[in-house]
Amino acid sequence: MNKALISVLGNDQPGIMAAVATIITEHGGNIENLSQTLLQSVFGALLMVSMPEEAQCEELHKALQQVGQKMRLSIHVDPWDEQPTAWQENPPEVQPYILTVIGPDRRGLVAEVSTQLAHHGVNITNIQAIFKGGKNPMDNLMVFEVDVPRSTVMQDLRDALHLVGQRLDIEIDTQHRKIFESVSNISN
């Protein structure tokens, strides 16, 4: 079974996923995984698609590009060989945590926080960020969903993130996912 990784980017409008999924189905493909989001008015999606052995990604790519031209979308199809990384082959035992970052918008904020996470072996599984700019802390919020190796010393990670927070004048809070969800449920 062939696999293809498809990316779709462009201005949001009704019918994008219907058009893309229809072309995939017409070429014998099956959507195995899909993640779609909106960034302001920009639509973005990643699709992992299984294709019949005899199918060629180039044909699917040409058909999707025709749809892309009509809807003013950028669509790319890449064959996916599923070569695992060293980290995927030997994943550490992890715990799920949620990081919230609140404070004035700063250039390099995502780079600073994600670099500290990488330094401590933490894998980011999802990031949601809203930056409205300005000094009102509540107008600028990032939420990182991360997997923290059990071997990571949490106090060392929290200390490193605290230093980043002091340097950038932001508040970084780290909670185990279960605690974060419990507090969120009580608050609602």
Side-chain angles (χ1 to χ4, degrees):
M1 182 70 68
N2 292 329
K3 290 199 177 188
L5 182 62
I6 301 171
S7 62
V8 183
L9 296 170
N11 285 331
D12 189 34
Q13 57 194 297
I16 295 174
M17 196 51 68
V20 169
T22 298
I23 295 293
I24 291 169
T25 301
E26 289 172 355
H27 282 76
N30 182 45
I31 299 171
E32 292 183 353
N33 291 89
L34 163 66
S35 180
Q36 181 235 302
T37 191
L38 289 175
L39 292 176
Q40 297 179 359
S41 62
V42 178
F43 173 97
L46 283 176
L47 301 92
M48 182 68 71
V49 174
S50 60
M51 301 289 295
E53 282 297 333
E54 68 279 5
Q56 298 293 318
C57 285
E58 293 83 23
E59 293 174 18
L60 176 62
H61 193 194
K62 285 179 187 173
L64 287 172
Q65 284 195 321
Q66 289 176 350
V67 168
Q69 287 173 350
K70 288 179 187 170
M71 300 182 80
R72 299 179 63 196
L73 301 168
S74 174
I75 302 177
H76 293 278
V77 178
D78 294 300
W80 188 250
D81 62 5
E82 290 196 287
Q83 293 291 322
T85 64
W87 185 85
Q88 290 171 325
E89 287 181 341
N90 296 302
E93 190 176 345
V94 296
Q95 296 185 78
Y97 276 80
I98 305 289
L99 265 68
T100 52
V101 180
I102 299 172
D105 190 12
R106 296 274 193 258
R107 195 170 78 87
L109 195 153
V110 175
E112 289 253 7
V113 173
S114 59
T115 297
Q116 279 304 320
L117 294 173
H119 179 71
H120 287 83
V122 175
N123 189 40
I124 300 169
T125 57
N126 192 21
I127 301 176
Q128 295 288 318
I130 299 170
F131 297 115
K132 295 180 181 174
K135 300 253 182 226
N136 182 353
M138 298 313 291
D139 284 346
N140 304 295
L141 170 68
M142 286 194 307
V143 178
F144 291 75
E145 295 178 40
V146 298
D147 285 338
V148 179
R150 287 193 181 272
S151 60
T152 297
V153 178
M154 283 307 295
Q155 193 57 53
D156 290 350
L157 175 60
R158 285 189 171 102
D159 290 346
L161 292 172
H162 179 72
L163 291 175
V164 170
Q166 283 185 323
R167 190 169 53 253
L168 297 178
D169 190 27
I170 56 176
E171 181 182 322
I172 303 176
D173 189 34
T174 308
Q175 291 181 310
H176 194 280
R177 176 184 277 284
K178 289 180 180 176
I179 296 171
F180 178 85
E181 290 172 352
S182 296
V183 170
S184 296
N185 287 337
I186 291 169
S187 300
N188 291 328

